[in-house]
Amino acid sequence: MAIFLSAAAYLADPAVVISRDAPDRPLIKPLTDISSGLYASPEYMSQYAAIEKHEDLPRYDYILLRGFAHTIVLPFRKEKQKLDIEVRSRFRANNSTILLSSAVAGTGIVYIPDYMAREAMRKGEFIRILPEWKMDTYRAWMLFKSEKTLSFSVKRFAEDLLRRIQRESV
């Protein structure tokens, strides 16, 4: 699933695209990888038996960002193993901040990008579920409409954004 903002449609330069694969455009610059994981509050997890293996996952409540269906298949990767596990969501929202707040409040396990969970992890508000397993990784790309319209200001903005993203992801 790609989230695509068309720079041409908005007469804007640059635009940011988040996708698994590189956009089919002539002027792109990779910004950062965006990995995701499963997180829950210690309070939520204290109500249930510990999740020790991937087979345990379908028994829990999930709060998710994606789509309209009540179930979703979560992709897991570890070394050469690949698993797709179907889970049921009890709550969905189209706003990742709401999902984050809901999970911190103890309503279930949330599937969100790792960078969004970083602060809650630091504060002890979240624990990572099955951290040895990897999940989806997307990449953020910066798109430029045209080499001709690439002003000094736009180039400088792109360079500054890239530096900041690299500094924040350490």
Side-chain angles (χ1 to χ4, degrees):
M1 177 179 85
I3 300 166
F4 186 75
L5 276 174
S6 171
Y10 293 100
L11 299 174
D13 203 358
V16 175
V17 174
I18 299 172
S19 66
R20 284 193 182 117
D21 302 314
D24 186 21
R25 298 287 191 266
L27 290 173
I28 61 172
K29 177 179 269 197
L31 291 175
T32 189
D33 288 337
I34 302 171
S35 58
S36 296
L38 294 175
Y39 297 90
S41 70
E43 292 76 23
Y44 176 81
M45 293 309 300
S46 70
Q47 300 172 42
Y48 302 96
I51 297 175
E52 296 177 0
K53 53 193 182 307
H54 62 272
E55 292 92 352
D56 298 335
L57 293 170
R59 294 189 301 228
Y60 294 83
D61 297 318
Y62 290 84
I63 45 182
L64 303 167
L65 181 66
R66 295 181 176 177
F68 300 105
H70 292 289
T71 60
I72 186 172
V73 175
L74 297 175
F76 289 87
R77 311 287 177 258
K78 183 166 97 174
E79 297 162 9
K80 296 185 188 247
Q81 286 182 287
K82 294 181 182 181
L83 299 171
D84 291 326
I85 299 177
E86 187 173 294
V87 298
R88 203 164 168 73
S89 68
R90 71 178 285 180
F91 175 72
R92 287 179 180 258
N94 64 355
N95 182 306
S96 52
T97 304
I98 290 171
L99 294 176
L100 181 70
S101 298
S102 181
V104 168
T107 60
I109 297 172
V110 67
Y111 175 53
I112 56 173
D114 295 331
Y115 73 86
M116 289 193 65
R118 191 177 298 140
E119 183 68 13
M121 289 285 291
R122 187 187 65 72
K123 291 179 177 178
E125 296 172 332
F126 267 168
I127 56 172
R128 175 87 186 247
I129 308 297
L130 299 177
E132 67 278 8
W133 287 85
K134 302 291 180 210
M135 300 187 77
D136 282 345
T137 298
Y138 289 86
R139 180 166 274 185
W141 305 86
M142 187 170 285
L143 259 58
F144 303 96
K145 191 168 70 172
S146 161
E147 187 76 49
K148 294 177 219 167
T149 63
L150 202 55
S151 69
F152 173 77
S153 298
V154 169
K155 286 180 189 176
R156 176 89 189 255
F157 170 76
E159 291 166 3
D160 288 348
L161 179 61
L162 182 57
R163 269 195 300 278
R164 183 171 180 172
I165 287 172
Q166 289 170 340
R167 187 174 55 240
E168 301 259 336
S169 63
V170 174

